[in-house]
């Protein structure tokens, strides 16, 4: 069955340290992968996507993500966390090559401490 | 409009009543998605529309839920005979035609069923 998993409900990191938010997926065919962020009392915003090409993709606010086909993962990373990065992060994947249905993970709350 | 518009932003209703939630996508966006976000939960896919194709209704949780999209623009999500477990934030998103593009989300409609 198609699925996307975010194994950590919450990630805590000190400001200035690198951060990683994990995402793994299970879909048929080549995946289209996305990361979205939800700041408090605001709608979801697009961060970055992997469709094809370089496994390392760069997005908004200094975030990047690495597509790893063998591990079926698409972890979100940032070299140096900011307090303002504190938010809820969602990974999403297109479930199959012949559909535009997108499913989201359960979300990971990132807390960056000063 | 500049973004995806949803109304009402808040709706409180009594168990057993019907509710309608409206979504105005970004002009020119051919794809429209509905998701549900419950407290502490991720985004649950409900339905998506793509142009004139038949919608993918595979995420609708029961036959009390239905959605339509008139004229390829505005969409209405209808919940009949509401139950307390229907309480959630209902999010709408739209996307341009290409299926590699990102979703643009509205602020959501918060539904509370008493």
């Amino acid at each position: 069955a198609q699925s996307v998993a975010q194994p950590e409900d919450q990630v805590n990191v000190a400001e200035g340290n690198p951060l990683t938010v994990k995402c793994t997926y299970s879909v048929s065919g080549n995946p289209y992968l996305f990361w979205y962020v939800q700041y408090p009392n605001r709608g979801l915003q697009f961060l970055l996507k992997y469709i094809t090409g370089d496994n390392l993709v760069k997005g908004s606010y200094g975030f990047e993500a690495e597509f790893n086909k063998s591990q079926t993962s698409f972890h979100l990373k940032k070299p140096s966390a900011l307090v303002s990065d504190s938010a809820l992060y969602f990974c999403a994947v297109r479930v199959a090559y012949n559909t535009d249905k997108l499913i989201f993970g359960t979300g990971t709350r990132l807390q960056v401490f000063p | 409009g500049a973004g995806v518009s949803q109304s009402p932003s808040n709706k409180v209703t009594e168990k057993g009543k019907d509710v309608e939630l409206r979504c105005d996508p970004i002009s020119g966006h051919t794809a429209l998605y509905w998701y549900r976000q419950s407290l502490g939960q991720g985004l649950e896919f409900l339905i998506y529309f793509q142009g004139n194709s038949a919608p993918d209704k595979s995420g609708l949780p029961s036959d009390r839920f239905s959605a339509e999209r008139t004229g390829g623009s505005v969409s209405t999500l209808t919940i009949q005979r509401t139950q307390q477990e229907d309480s959630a934030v209902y999010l709408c998103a739209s996307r341009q035609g290409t299926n590699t593009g990102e979703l643009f989300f509205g602020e959501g409609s918060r539904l509370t069923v008493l």
Side-chain angles (χ1 to χ4, degrees):
Chain A
Q2 306 95 344
S3 64
V4 55
Q6 294 182 242
E8 302 153 318
D9 289 338
Q10 180 152 332
V11 169
N12 299 317
V13 64
E15 188 173 35
N17 283 0
L19 68 88
T20 299
V21 182
K22 296 179 180 178
C23 172
T24 59
Y25 64 90
S26 174
V27 298
S28 57
N30 295 321
Y32 289 179
L33 294 154
F34 303 81
W35 276 101
Y36 287 82
V37 60
Q38 187 175 36
Y39 296 104
N41 300 316
R42 294 177 64 179
L44 275 83
Q45 299 175 32
F46 168 78
L47 271 182
L48 51 78
K49 64 182 176 183
Y50 172 83
I51 305 299
T52 187
D54 286 344
N55 291 340
L56 184 66
V57 293
K58 295 184 183 297
S60 308
Y61 312 121
F63 283 92
E64 57 189 30
E66 186 166 14
F67 169 62
N68 187 316
K69 188 172 184 178
S70 62
Q71 298 185 3
T72 61
S73 67
F74 189 56
H75 301 331
L76 182 69
K77 300 182 179 184
K78 187 174 183 181
S80 178
L82 299 172
V83 172
S84 57
D85 292 330
S86 299
L88 190 56
Y89 290 81
F90 291 96
C91 181
V93 64
R94 186 184 66 159
V95 301
Y97 72 94
N98 59 347
T99 176
D100 290 337
K101 179 177 176 179
L102 282 174
I103 58 172
F104 284 73
T106 51
T108 299
R109 185 164 300 281
L110 174 67
Q111 189 72 46
V112 182
F113 295 95
Chain B
V4 177
S5 177
Q6 292 188 245
S7 61
S9 54
N10 276 287
K11 176 71 175 180
V12 180
T13 190
E14 294 179 347
K15 177 181 173 181
K17 300 285 189 182
D18 296 352
V19 297
E20 285 189 350
L21 307 176
R22 175 189 169 103
C23 174
D24 246 304
I26 293 173
S27 178
H29 281 195
T30 58
L32 187 148
Y33 295 72
W34 283 99
Y35 290 89
R36 178 167 71 175
Q37 185 176 22
S38 303
L39 190 62
Q41 303 291 317
L43 269 69
E44 177 187 5
F45 169 82
L46 297 177
I47 186 171
Y48 92 86
F49 300 86
Q50 173 61 62
N52 295 321
S53 302
D56 182 333
K57 305 179 181 180
S58 60
L60 295 178
S62 77
D63 58 8
R64 295 186 296 105
F65 287 73
S66 63
E68 62 177 21
R69 189 178 185 192
T70 54
S73 181
V74 172
S75 177
T76 301
L77 177 68
T78 302
I79 310 173
Q80 295 179 312
R81 305 182 302 282
T82 52
Q83 304 293 313
Q84 288 184 331
E85 61 263 29
D86 299 335
S87 297
V89 177
Y90 289 81
L91 296 170
C92 176
S94 70
R95 175 174 53 77
Q96 287 183 326
T98 170
N99 63 3
T100 60
E102 64 264 31
L103 299 184
F104 292 82
F105 281 84
E107 296 286 329
S109 291
R110 181 177 298 277
L111 174 66
T112 303
V113 182
L114 302 177

